[in-house]
Amino acid sequence: MNLLSGASFERLQGAIDTSNLRQKVIANNIANADTPNFKRSDVSFESMLEQEMDRNSSSLIGNRTDSRHFYIGPQSGSMVSPQVTTDETTVYNNNLNNVDMDKEMSQLAQNQLKYNALIQQLNHDIKMKRVVLEGR
Amino acid sequence: MNISNSFNISASALTAQRLRMDVVSSNIANAETTRGRYVDGKFEPYRRKMVVMQPYQEGSFASALQSELGEPDVGKGVKITQIKEDQAPFKQVYNPTHPDADSNGYVSMPNVDVLKEMVDMISATRAYESNVTALNASKSMFMKALEIGK
């Protein structure tokens, strides 16, 4: 029934969305490389996802007997959403701007490769499902 | 999520850097212009122009709506808000044969320092290049997304 909504499929979707968001953030950092007082932003997702998955393996889970109860421990089907953080603490340039062009460029390349890998993985998933459907 | 937004961000930077380049060109072209403006019956030399850049922000309603919708706030690129004139004093050059020389033989020349302009030009060129790289990266990601499910 849930052919296209497995956990890995949703995680892939979340990762692709995050990659898109990161592309925007990096593009904005590069665009503002000469803007006085601009502070660079970052997208954190992988570390949060890791935390969430670690939490999934922890044993303490609160038993909810009422819909008004708080969640204790991991929630089933909870999705991590990416966060944009701005680095206000450093100063790299004379004009209080902290965009490091080398860092942005390498992150741009890294993000692009990651995006390609994710799309490839997604296509692989779809191809496997197609094999099941067509039976050959 | 809308990837075309990252195109717009890079495009805004390309526009801004191009304008910066135009201003540098104008400054260099007018480095010897003694009749930049006619003020009170007298010619004034050309004044060096400078650009003021600022991160592009949308109106408060749009950003408030976006944060209510739970979408993370990403910047919207860059824009040039102002072209300012340098108020530094004009260079005085002794040249009695110049048509705009004063009674002592001194001519007011524009306050353009060609060295400064060259540095600014290199900076604008490099910034333009890196934004083109970012734009190409966005483009190839977009093309890759079209391959989903092929």
Side-chain angles (χ1 to χ4, degrees):
Chain A
M1 199 47 214
N2 43 6
L3 194 61
L4 285 177
S5 55
S8 77
F9 216 78
E10 268 175 23
R11 287 231 165 92
L12 269 178
Q13 192 189 335
I16 290 173
D17 273 351
T18 306
S19 225
N20 263 341
L21 178 67
R22 186 170 285 140
Q23 175 70 17
K24 272 191 237 171
V25 168
I26 295 173
N28 191 48
N29 287 345
I30 295 176
N32 283 292
D34 286 327
T35 311
N37 297 315
F38 178 81
K39 298 292 185 192
R40 66 181 298 271
S41 294
D42 234 329
V43 178
S44 52
F45 177 69
E46 279 80 4
S47 56
M48 285 162 62
L49 187 65
E50 216 165 90
Q51 267 176 16
E52 187 72 13
M53 284 162 105
D54 276 353
R55 226 146 57 89
N56 276 342
S57 59
S58 75
S59 52
L60 185 69
I61 297 171
N63 191 19
R64 292 171 73 238
T65 54
D66 192 298
S67 59
R68 288 170 296 179
H69 283 171
F70 283 119
Y71 284 103
I72 300 174
Q75 303 164 30
S76 56
S78 72
M79 272 303 293
V80 195
S81 52
Q83 298 250 304
V84 179
T85 52
T86 308
D87 181 7
E88 301 274 2
T89 53
T90 52
V91 174
Y92 184 72
N93 244 340
N94 250 344
N95 54 7
L96 298 181
N97 181 312
N98 63 355
V99 177
D100 177 355
M101 198 45 108
D102 298 324
K103 196 174 167 189
E104 299 302 331
M105 279 311 186
S106 61
Q107 278 193 353
L108 187 76
Q110 197 184 347
N111 188 45
Q112 200 182 344
L113 288 173
K114 195 179 272 172
Y115 188 86
N116 286 357
L118 288 170
I119 298 282
Q120 210 162 335
Q121 181 64 34
L122 188 67
N123 274 335
H124 181 70
D125 267 25
I126 294 172
K127 208 176 275 174
M128 285 208 308
K129 273 154 192 161
R130 189 170 286 163
V131 168
V132 172
L133 285 176
E134 295 176 352
R136 53 183 166 166
Chain B
M1 282 287 158
N2 159 13
I3 195 177
S4 66
N5 201 354
S6 69
F7 288 106
N8 293 341
I9 291 172
S10 294
S12 77
L14 291 182
T15 311
Q17 300 299 340
R18 175 62 62 93
L19 182 62
R20 237 178 112 194
M21 201 62 166
D22 289 351
V23 169
V24 169
S25 305
S26 164
N27 285 344
I28 295 179
N30 284 296
E32 304 287 333
T33 303
T34 51
R35 297 183 180 187
R37 192 180 294 150
Y38 197 62
V39 192
D40 296 338
K42 244 178 84 183
F43 278 111
E44 203 178 59
Y46 176 86
R47 276 193 191 277
R48 170 174 178 251
K49 295 186 172 39
M50 301 174 292
V51 296
V52 180
M53 298 173 99
Q54 190 187 305
Y56 188 77
Q57 274 150 352
E58 265 183 333
S60 54
F61 176 74
S63 52
L65 181 67
Q66 198 178 26
S67 64
E68 282 301 316
L69 288 172
E71 279 200 30
D73 184 31
V74 192
K76 296 278 187 302
V78 66
K79 69 171 174 184
I80 286 180
T81 50
Q82 215 181 344
I83 296 181
K84 265 194 169 169
E85 292 199 331
D86 193 348
Q87 294 304 317
F90 296 119
K91 276 182 286 185
Q92 301 296 321
V93 176
Y94 183 70
N95 186 1
T97 56
H98 196 284
D100 288 328
D102 62 9
S103 50
N104 297 322
Y106 279 96
V107 188
S108 286
M109 299 300 277
N111 52 0
V112 175
D113 183 355
V114 178
L115 267 179
K116 263 188 207 165
E117 301 305 323
M118 293 309 270
V119 171
D120 215 30
M121 186 178 81
I122 294 169
S123 160
T125 316
R126 291 283 178 261
Y128 193 87
E129 279 171 11
S130 38
N131 280 295
V132 170
T133 309
L135 190 67
N136 277 334
S138 300
K139 201 175 91 183
S140 85
M141 276 167 71
F142 193 78
M143 293 309 286
K144 193 75 185 171
L146 291 179
E147 289 175 20
I148 294 176
K150 250 189 182 175

